[in-house]
Amino acid sequence: MSKIRSYYANVKSELSKVIFPIKEQIRSAYLSVFIVVTVITLFLALIDGIMALSLSSIIN
């Protein structure tokens, strides 16, 4: 039983060291991820369109 108490005491002390992000940090991280994913999506769509056009011109 003392191992369980020791475990929970250690967990509590470690959680007190954690610094949770504030709302502005979460918002800026979300915005950064959204922008990067959007840019990558547009780039891949462009490459896909170019490859589709080139393949269709080769086939026809």
Side-chain angles (χ1 to χ4, degrees):
M1 192 69 173
S2 68
K3 287 185 179 182
I4 294 173
R5 286 185 192 153
S6 172
Y7 172 76
Y8 281 113
N10 288 336
V11 168
K12 188 175 180 179
S13 71
E14 288 298 321
L15 277 177
S16 67
K17 297 176 188 175
V18 174
I19 300 173
F20 292 99
I22 59 176
K23 189 180 280 190
E24 289 81 21
Q25 291 172 332
I26 294 171
R27 188 176 297 130
S28 68
Y30 173 79
L31 186 61
S32 299
V33 169
F34 183 77
I35 290 171
V36 168
V37 167
T38 303
V39 168
I40 290 172
T41 301
L42 292 173
F43 174 73
L44 290 176
L46 178 68
I47 296 298
D48 184 49
I50 291 171
M51 292 181 75
L53 285 174
S54 64
L55 185 61
S56 66
S57 67
I58 291 173
I59 291 175
N60 293 332

